[in-house]
Amino acid sequence: MKKKIRVRFAPSPTGALHIGGLRTAFFNYLFAIQNQGDFILRIEDTDIRKNTKYSIEYILKALKWCKIKVNEGYNHRGEFGPYIQSKRIKIYKKYLKILKKKKLIYYSFESKDELKKYKINNKNFIYNSLTRYKLKNSLSKNNNKKTINYYLKNKKYVIRIKTPKNKDIIIKDKIYGNIKINTNNIDDKILFRSNDTPTYHFASVIDDYLMNITHIIRGKEWIYSSPIHILIYNNFKWKLPKFIHLPLLLNNKGGKISKSKMVKNKIPIHPINYNKLNINNSYKSNGFLPNAFINILALLGWTPKNNKEIYSFKEIIKLFNFKNINKSDVHLNYNKFRWINKKYLNKISNKYYYKYLKKKIKSNIFNLYTKKKINKIINLTKNRISLINEIWDVSSYFFLNPKTYFIPTNIISYIKDNKKKIILLLNKFIIILKKNKKKTDINYNDIIKKLSIFNLKLLRISIVGKLIGIDMYNILSLIKTKIIIKRIINFKNFIISQYKI
RNA sequence: GGCCCAUUAGUCUAUUGGUUAGGACGUCAGAUUUUCAUUCUGGAAAGAGGGGUUCGAUUCCCCUAUGGGCUACCA
């Protein structure tokens, strides 16, 4: 029987999970679903920091918003727990002992500062088989037993892995192919810190083994630490999992994704807002739909070869394949993200827009319109936007009187040349509107058709404030007559004062 | 600096030895439209540079350049 495929998403809770981590999570999730495997969430908190608690909360919330369903792990069921590394220290110690017996690890006594100094004086220094015998550690010949015992007793040591000398380690990566790294170029990485806690390298390998992880899908930044992981597997004589490294995400200028940079570029990097971590710019807050965001995530490094951009979740699952993941790093293209979101926006029901508008608009103004009318406004405006928030931008003139008028220069000169005519025209409007209290009595189409283009533009400016928006017929028939009259009067007064009539 | 990875238009990418180098976002133009948008049609726009291998190279190899990653008692 074939072994069940098990993958894990193993974020470290050191700040808010961003689009890069989410992409990794999503690809793991896809692979699990495709193979009826397990998708495990493991929290890698071997390094304890300030915001651990909130960061974990955020991971859970973010995954939920992206509809990524964990079926085993932290905060979920599972028989391989605990799924948080700070609660597994005992386990790591147990496995450390095994390596100790096999003499595959050793104690190293340099303090952080000592090593720093050493590195400054010795360029290209690497702590490994080529140098370790000259340094302060339990393998070195420089130290006598007394000094060694001193450090051991006082627990002033870290535990390092003993990497072999001049050995090529080959990482068989499903995306990048075989990558050869010589052990002379890698450090004897620290496995246990002086505070008796494991480092990521050790903890994650032990966990991956104990949790029966079959495929390690993670960002490319991990390629260079893979030899250490492989070495640990080999030391235990455990079967290696498959490695799949994903291309990195870069911002639109080719730099690393980071909060400060992305805010400048106005590209959100976080999925949702979260006050406790000070996240107030996100895909959700910018008006992205979860389904669109999933589509965006999928296309971050993955290209199905059929010249399509919009994929439902089902299609993604059907088509997803590591063969179609490209090797070069991915630049985020916010314009394209918006375009993808637009495609999804076109499909959703009006109630989402309705909800948004209701929240946005003061109730006394919102209630001027019946639900039917709001729906009509939505229907007429929704095809103009690519983010749900923008429904307000394209419909605000239904709810707010124009505060200022944006009049193009050619219209200004038209006004100046035809002052009296225009005032007459506006007055005429007002009279017609006042006469007919019920909308149905007014044939707006007739009025509009009789107007010259210039006059029609003027009418639009008087009601909308600028030359944008849906057709005048619908604007006039949707807004209450009383309000239209008011707006026209305002505009008339504006012209009179502005152009001294 | 050392080691590792990548390099097709502004961006995401297709094409793994023979193509008018295909698609998408963006951009530009035209059509539709009472304005603005939408929509539709069309255009411009690419193989980093230099060497090989080959009848032939975007595709294979080497060098250079550029970008990125790792080089923490961070993950």
Side-chain angles (χ1 to χ4, degrees):
Chain A
M1 203 184 99
K2 221 183 156 188
K3 213 176 166 187
K4 192 178 193 190
I5 281 175
R6 287 169 61 81
V7 294
R8 88 299 201 269
F9 176 53
S12 80
T14 52
L17 180 67
H18 61 55
I19 186 166
L22 235 25
R23 196 270 315 252
T24 305
F26 186 57
F27 282 18
N28 271 288
Y29 177 54
L30 283 176
F31 187 63
I33 290 188
Q34 246 182 3
N35 296 288
Q36 288 93 41
D38 294 322
F39 174 64
I40 295 143
L41 174 67
R42 185 174 74 222
I43 305 293
E44 309 224 319
D45 62 339
T46 55
D47 181 53
I48 292 146
R49 298 202 186 172
K50 260 197 278 177
N51 290 324
T52 300
K53 188 186 151 197
Y54 297 138
S55 301
I56 293 174
E57 271 179 33
Y58 190 77
I59 289 166
L60 264 12
K61 281 175 195 279
L63 291 177
K64 196 177 172 192
W65 187 68
C66 302
K67 300 180 182 179
I68 298 174
K69 288 176 196 127
V70 174
N71 66 340
E72 179 182 326
Y74 182 84
N75 215 29
H76 294 78
R77 289 180 182 187
E79 48 184 310
F80 296 93
Y83 291 92
I84 179 162
Q85 291 184 329
S86 56
K87 293 194 175 153
R88 299 171 63 82
I89 306 292
K90 272 187 191 169
I91 300 169
Y92 306 127
K93 282 186 178 172
K94 186 181 134 197
Y95 283 93
L96 191 73
K97 263 188 190 170
I98 298 170
L99 290 186
K100 196 180 156 192
K101 265 189 193 166
K102 294 186 175 187
K103 296 192 173 170
L104 293 165
I105 54 172
Y106 64 95
Y107 299 96
S108 160
F109 306 126
E110 294 85 2
S111 71
K112 221 176 174 180
D113 291 337
E114 274 178 297
L115 260 186
K116 235 184 203 171
K117 274 182 195 168
Y118 197 83
K119 278 181 183 175
I120 292 166
N121 296 327
N122 299 273
K123 273 191 179 172
N124 304 338
F125 168 75
I126 299 174
Y127 204 127
N128 65 9
S129 62
L130 304 176
T131 56
R132 67 168 90 99
Y133 295 100
K134 299 174 204 161
L135 295 152
K136 275 163 69 180
N137 55 56
S138 58
L139 294 177
S140 166
K141 285 150 194 167
N142 292 343
N143 305 314
N144 56 36
K145 272 191 180 171
K146 257 191 186 175
T147 44
I148 290 176
N149 283 336
Y150 165 79
Y151 285 117
L152 289 181
K153 258 190 186 172
N154 291 286
K155 294 204 164 180
K156 286 189 172 177
Y157 59 82
V158 295
I159 291 169
R160 307 186 97 106
I161 183 169
K162 201 168 130 191
T163 56
K165 193 175 176 178
N166 194 25
K167 193 183 168 189
D168 284 335
I169 308 272
I170 292 163
I171 305 148
K172 290 179 184 167
D173 190 89
K174 271 206 166 187
I175 290 166
Y176 288 91
N178 288 0
I179 296 167
K180 192 167 77 180
I181 295 172
N182 191 287
T183 50
N184 284 359
N185 294 319
I186 57 174
D187 275 292
D188 286 352
K189 283 275 180 238
I190 292 170
L191 265 27
F192 255 76
R193 307 187 186 95
S194 53
N195 68 359
D196 222 22
T197 60
T199 59
Y200 163 81
H201 299 292
F202 193 64
S204 88
V205 169
I206 300 299
D207 288 348
D208 286 340
Y209 167 74
L210 291 176
M211 295 176 185
N212 289 334
I213 302 300
T214 56
H215 297 252
I216 294 176
I217 305 165
R218 47 155 57 147
K220 202 176 77 170
E221 72 269 26
W222 292 107
I223 282 188
Y224 211 76
S225 8
S226 299
I228 290 294
H229 304 165
I230 291 173
L231 245 21
I232 298 172
Y233 271 97
N234 289 345
N235 284 345
F236 285 109
K237 297 199 168 132
W238 290 339
K239 199 192 159 201
L240 237 41
K242 299 264 186 290
F243 287 99
I244 297 138
H245 289 94
L246 269 16
L248 257 25
L249 263 40
L250 305 174
N251 69 31
N252 55 347
K253 283 177 184 164
K256 211 180 171 182
I257 293 184
S258 73
K259 197 178 168 187
S260 58
K261 271 184 191 167
M262 297 312 248
V263 169
K264 260 186 207 164
N265 298 330
K266 287 185 183 171
I267 303 179
I269 61 169
H270 296 105
I272 53 174
N273 281 2
Y274 195 50
N275 285 339
K276 286 169 186 168
L277 290 172
N278 225 355
I279 308 297
N280 44 31
N281 182 34
S282 65
Y283 282 87
K284 189 183 178 189
S285 75
N286 276 276
F288 280 85
L289 265 18
N291 286 344
F293 188 67
I294 288 168
N295 197 142
I296 289 166
L297 280 183
L299 260 21
L300 256 25
W302 173 69
T303 323
K305 299 177 183 178
N306 56 7
N307 287 343
K308 256 182 69 176
E309 322 288 322
I310 305 299
Y311 296 94
S312 71
F313 186 61
K314 274 185 185 172
E315 284 175 299
I316 295 171
I317 290 172
K318 204 174 160 191
L319 295 167
F320 185 77
N321 193 317
F322 289 120
K323 274 183 195 162
N324 297 340
I325 290 181
N326 47 293
K327 296 177 182 180
S328 46
D329 295 336
V330 182
H331 293 73
L332 302 186
N333 185 340
Y334 197 54
N335 267 332
K336 194 153 188 175
F337 293 175
R338 285 170 53 104
W339 177 81
I340 290 172
N341 198 54
K342 187 189 179 80
K343 298 285 171 191
Y344 281 84
L345 233 34
N346 288 343
K347 292 182 213 162
I348 64 166
S349 120
N350 278 6
K351 64 181 180 197
Y352 292 96
Y353 299 102
Y354 188 89
K355 236 168 91 183
Y356 184 84
L357 285 176
K358 197 172 182 181
K359 238 187 194 175
K360 177 89 187 176
I361 301 162
K362 281 182 186 168
S363 58
N364 60 328
I365 295 169
F366 190 78
N367 292 336
L368 289 173
Y369 292 90
T370 59
K371 197 168 182 178
K372 205 177 159 187
K373 276 192 175 176
I374 298 271
N375 265 317
K376 196 164 183 196
I377 291 171
I378 292 167
N379 280 333
L380 289 164
T381 53
K382 69 178 177 184
N383 67 337
R384 310 164 85 90
I385 64 170
S386 40
L387 302 171
I388 198 161
N389 303 5
E390 289 167 351
I391 192 72
W392 167 248
D393 302 329
V394 297
S395 67
S396 58
Y397 53 83
F398 284 102
F399 307 99
L400 299 177
N401 298 337
K403 278 178 189 164
T404 48
Y405 299 103
F406 297 91
I407 313 173
T409 46
N410 62 332
I411 306 255
I412 289 176
S413 42
Y414 174 76
I415 295 173
K416 281 178 180 168
D417 294 344
N418 302 281
K419 288 174 201 165
K420 281 181 184 170
K421 269 190 191 173
I422 290 164
I423 297 300
L424 276 173
L425 183 80
L426 294 173
N427 281 335
K428 202 176 145 195
F429 270 134
I430 295 164
I431 290 163
I432 294 169
L433 291 167
K434 275 186 177 168
K435 263 189 189 172
N436 301 275
K437 282 177 187 172
K438 284 183 188 174
K439 287 264 179 196
T440 46
D441 298 341
I442 310 171
N443 193 338
Y444 287 113
N445 252 339
D446 266 11
I447 298 172
I448 290 163
K449 273 175 189 164
K450 277 177 197 162
L451 288 175
S452 71
I453 289 183
F454 272 114
N455 285 334
L456 193 55
K457 282 184 177 177
L458 270 179
L459 184 64
R460 179 178 291 277
I461 290 171
S462 72
I463 291 162
V464 177
K466 44 189 159 180
L467 291 173
I468 59 147
I470 62 167
D471 62 282
M472 276 317 290
Y473 173 78
N474 277 309
I475 292 179
L476 290 170
S477 45
L478 279 164
I479 300 176
K480 286 206 167 170
T481 316
K482 226 168 69 186
I483 293 170
I484 293 175
I485 293 169
K486 200 180 158 194
R487 288 188 189 182
I488 293 174
I489 291 171
N490 284 349
F491 185 63
K492 195 179 86 182
N493 294 337
F494 170 79
I495 290 181
I496 290 169
S497 67
Q498 189 77 8
Y499 302 105
K500 287 171 190 153
I501 295 170

